[in-house]
Amino acid sequence: MPLAGLQLTGLALLAAILVGFAIWIVLRLKATPEKRERKRRLAVNERGRLGDGTISDVAENALFYSYSVRGVIYNASQDISTLRDIVSDDPALLIGHVTLKYATNNPANSIVVCEEWSGLRTTANKELDYKCEHGM
């Protein structure tokens, strides 16, 4: 193949790579913050490690919780505005012990609930926790 043909093939390949990269950037920019947050939650759910935590406060659309990983205490919050159908309407039922998932490569990246999993304890579990804590 002559040198001109190789150069033309190389330029065509470079153009295809640049077009593909431009399409990837455009699609990435179109992702809304809600879509990116959902993708993050599902990734932590899929690859995360289980841990124990405590919900300390509940706002209208957020859970505030803390947990410890390898001796480091993390205080975190999670937006639950798109997960209201999964989460109880009574904040008093949410405060207390929970199971959470965190990313092993970044323990500060954690979730308590997502579309496919929930670490929230049921009312029956809360009653059992209360009885155990108070020796009943």
Side-chain angles (χ1 to χ4, degrees), residues 22-31:
I23 291 171
W24 178 78
I25 288 175
V26 167
L27 292 175
R28 176 91 172 137
L29 291 176
K30 283 188 175 183

Side-chain angles (χ1 to χ4, degrees), residues 9 24-26 52 54 56 81 91 103 111 118 120 123:
T9 303
W24 178 78
I25 288 175
V26 167
D52 291 319
T54 305
S56 57
S81 58
I111 61 169
S118 175
L120 298 170
T123 305

